[in-house]
Amino acid sequence: MARGNRQLGALSGLLDLMLEVRDARAPLLTMSAVSDKFPDSVTVWTILSKADLANPDATSEWVKFFEEAGRRVWPLDLRRNLPEELKRSIAALAPSSSSRRKYRSVRVAVVGTPNVGKSMLLNRLVGRRAASVGGVPGVTKGVSWFPGPGCIVADSPGILDPRSDARTHRMLAWISSTKGQVIGAWDDLACECLDFLRKRDLSQCIASAWGIDASGSSREVLERIGRRLGKILPGGGVDVEASGRALLDALSAGRLGRLSLERPNFPASQVEPS
């Protein structure tokens, strides 16, 4: 992480544009640790990735929130082609003929926390599979440049804010922005997530997705999920570890419906832990 920070810092005097990628379902939780470390000469735009998995009303609130703060924002499904407006806007940042940096491509950096879609965005920008794309956080190990139509793009490793507390890291594990198997036991993470969903009035997604009763304690709900998904141990008991992982995998992949864990007036950090 320290090496990645140093590499990104060295880029600051070279860039025209920084694209900060955040998960549209949790834009504050997935805020980049380096988004405020670049000079004012660098244009910063926010990409709300996985917008197809987020509550559209909440995403509209986030767009308004960022625009009112003076930040240009783009909610995107990165599995689809980039909007032509975004491509034209990037091209418009090319140095003018009067600039001492004339006759070169727009220099762009893609930054963000792990597994928010940085490499998918890079591949869309350069028009080919330039960077490794996968569901495991930490696929990209260093900063590299990739040429694309009218731009040259710097990829970067996913960097978590070292100032984040343990609870933030645990919440990030719910949407695969940090490694759940490192943060804690899957069943404990899943129960914390279920408590959170209940407090945010989102637990109906469990009943809708799997047709089970979402009332009672989080442990009881997790066991119902396990039985519904066939996560049964020899002897008939529920494998709560496998059940917890299945729940969080389903949440991360959007199989529980279009959910947003945060809204501008209600960050995830405001929900008190059980």
Side-chain angles (χ1 to χ4, degrees):
M1 181 176 66
R3 180 172 177 265
N5 267 320
R6 288 194 302 270
Q7 289 174 316
L8 285 170
L11 290 175
S12 61
L14 304 175
L15 295 174
D16 302 304
L17 173 65
M18 182 175 73
L19 296 177
E20 183 204 13
V21 187
R22 305 190 191 194
D23 191 314
R25 298 169 295 178
L28 295 183
L29 278 176
T30 55
M31 178 175 61
S32 170
V34 301
S35 62
D36 59 350
K37 295 182 178 179
F38 289 84
D40 294 339
S41 59
V42 178
T43 299
V44 181
W45 295 343
T46 292
I47 304 294
L48 295 178
S49 67
K50 307 183 185 182
D52 55 305
L53 305 183
N55 180 301
D57 292 334
T59 300
S60 295
E61 292 177 15
W62 282 112
V63 169
K64 181 180 179 181
F65 171 82
F66 283 111
E67 288 179 343
E68 289 180 346
R71 175 75 65 87
R72 197 161 187 185
V73 58
W74 306 83
L76 300 176
D77 173 1
L78 293 173
R79 295 173 301 177
R80 301 178 179 272
N81 291 329
L82 297 180
E84 290 301 318
E85 182 185 359
L86 174 57
K87 296 178 183 178
R88 289 193 299 269
S89 297
I90 292 174
L93 297 176
S96 66
S97 59
S98 61
S99 169
R100 62 182 177 84
R101 301 178 299 173
K102 63 182 177 180
Y103 308 129
R104 69 160 175 78
S105 299
V106 180
R107 291 173 178 168
V108 183
V110 177
V111 301
T113 59
N115 212 35
V116 290
K118 299 181 305 300
S119 293
M120 291 183 72
L121 175 59
L122 184 149
N123 291 329
R124 290 298 181 193
L125 288 169
V126 303
R128 56 192 171 87
R129 289 185 60 85
S132 299
V133 177
V136 179
V139 168
T140 308
K141 301 300 183 184
V143 176
S144 303
W145 289 96
F146 299 92
C151 64
I152 182 169
V153 187
D155 194 16
S156 65
I159 299 175
L160 291 170
D161 191 340
R163 299 165 295 182
S164 298
D165 59 24
R167 184 166 182 256
T168 295
H169 284 270
R170 292 172 77 83
M171 288 190 287
L172 286 169
W174 303 344
I175 53 175
S176 297
S177 280
T178 192
K179 296 180 181 180
Q181 65 268 37
V182 175
I183 298 299
W186 289 110
D187 55 323
D188 289 339
L189 288 171
C191 285
E192 290 176 3
C193 181
L194 287 167
D195 286 337
F196 177 93
L197 293 175
R198 181 178 290 112
K199 291 176 180 178
R200 295 302 300 264
D201 295 324
L202 297 172
S203 59
Q204 70 274 11
C205 67
I206 305 298
S208 299
W210 289 315
I212 64 172
D213 181 7
S215 63
S217 71
S218 293
R219 184 66 58 168
E220 290 170 339
V221 175
L222 183 60
E223 290 188 357
R224 291 183 201 126
I225 291 171
R227 292 195 179 279
R228 173 68 177 80
L229 299 181
K231 306 297 183 181
I232 307 301
L233 294 167
V238 174
D239 186 340
V240 290
E241 183 81 1
S243 302
R245 182 159 192 171
L247 168 62
L248 296 181
D249 284 348
L251 174 65
S252 178
R255 293 194 294 273
L256 300 184
R258 299 185 67 172
L259 299 177
S260 291
L261 303 183
E262 297 186 300
R263 290 182 181 252
N265 61 347
F266 201 172
S269 59
Q270 288 188 5
V271 178
E272 292 296 326
S274 299

